[in-house]
Amino acid sequence: MSMLTETGIASMQICFYGAGSMAEAIARGLIHEKLIAPGKISMLNRSNADRLHELHERYGVQTVLQGSSNERYLREADIIFLAMKPKDAAEAVSAIAPLLSPNQLIVSVIAGLSIASLQQLIGPVQPIVRTMPNTSSTIGLGATGISYSEQVTPQQRLVTEAMFQSIGINAVVDESLQNAVVGVSGSGPAYVYFFMEAMLKAAGDLGLAPDIAKDLVVQTVLGAAQMVKETGESPEELRRKVTSPNGTTQAAIESMTQAGLQEAIIKGMLRSSERAAEIGAAIERSINE
């Protein structure tokens, strides 16, 4: 039996409440992998009609027509993705809570928002999935951390993991580790881009033309990541293999180490995780005010 048949996603209705880039990435993955027809996906937001029209034209998903209401899509959905901004989460979830029923699966992609906070807003019997995808999901190469409430059934777990496999890989983790996922993979693409920015600047300082520098840097990062994936060797092992004693690479690594590169990366990742916890705490305070 195929994953598609086993999960039954094809017959479900999926509603995205929030229509930003992450919601679009997930919807695109579901459609591209033919898990569900575009007409069974609805995408909603509270104010940006132009964005909804753009998504409808691009993917064929359902959106709210002018003068109509979100309510029908929310009531009829089997799965509802909460994809609004963290600062809007408490108010938005509270507003839709009366429309929900316990048989609907709620999937949150809101950084820092805990399952307990969602249960406080929606109710304790609602099956809830907390996830942390990253922006590489846009091209099907995402990495997503997934945590489940006790109410999520084995069937709903299958559905969830099939959906996120359509945009990359996923890791099921204890919810206490979700802020760690933010620090590692949630914010992770930006760390790589930041490192690439520095490489491009150095390439320019060394006299390379911007287009040549970009090609060399992009292929270097892509090749290095693929080497780790395909060889099964650790980054440390591969680094040692290309670092000849007293050679050019050793000179570079020593200089970067002296400048504190490794410590800066570690410190930044810990700070990202810490910030996710702060955002979650702020949402909790807004709920309890």
Side-chain angles (χ1 to χ4, degrees), residues 130-192:
R130 178 179 174 181
T131 71
M132 186 65 245
N134 65 17
T135 56
S136 301
S137 302
T138 304
I139 58 168
L141 293 173
T144 302
I146 299 175
S147 303
Y148 299 109
S149 73
E150 292 180 4
Q151 292 74 24
V152 178
T153 67
Q155 174 71 6
Q156 289 171 328
R157 286 178 177 240
L158 271 179
V159 168
T160 300
E161 287 162 44
M163 289 191 297
F164 283 99
Q165 282 167 13
S166 75
I167 56 169
I169 67 162
N170 60 67
V172 177
V173 299
D174 187 271
E175 192 189 4
S176 64
L177 295 171
Q178 276 288 358
N179 290 335
V181 172
V182 174
V184 175
S185 57
S187 298
Y191 314 151
V192 180

Side-chain angles (χ1 to χ4, degrees), residues 231-264:
T231 66
E233 296 181 76
S234 71
E236 183 180 14
E237 289 168 341
L238 290 167
R239 174 176 58 79
R240 284 176 178 161
K241 285 185 176 181
V242 299
T243 307
S244 304
N246 298 316
T248 58
T249 306
Q250 181 176 327
I253 295 295
E254 286 178 352
S255 178
M256 291 176 184
T257 300
Q258 288 169 5
L261 176 63
Q262 189 175 57
E263 290 79 4

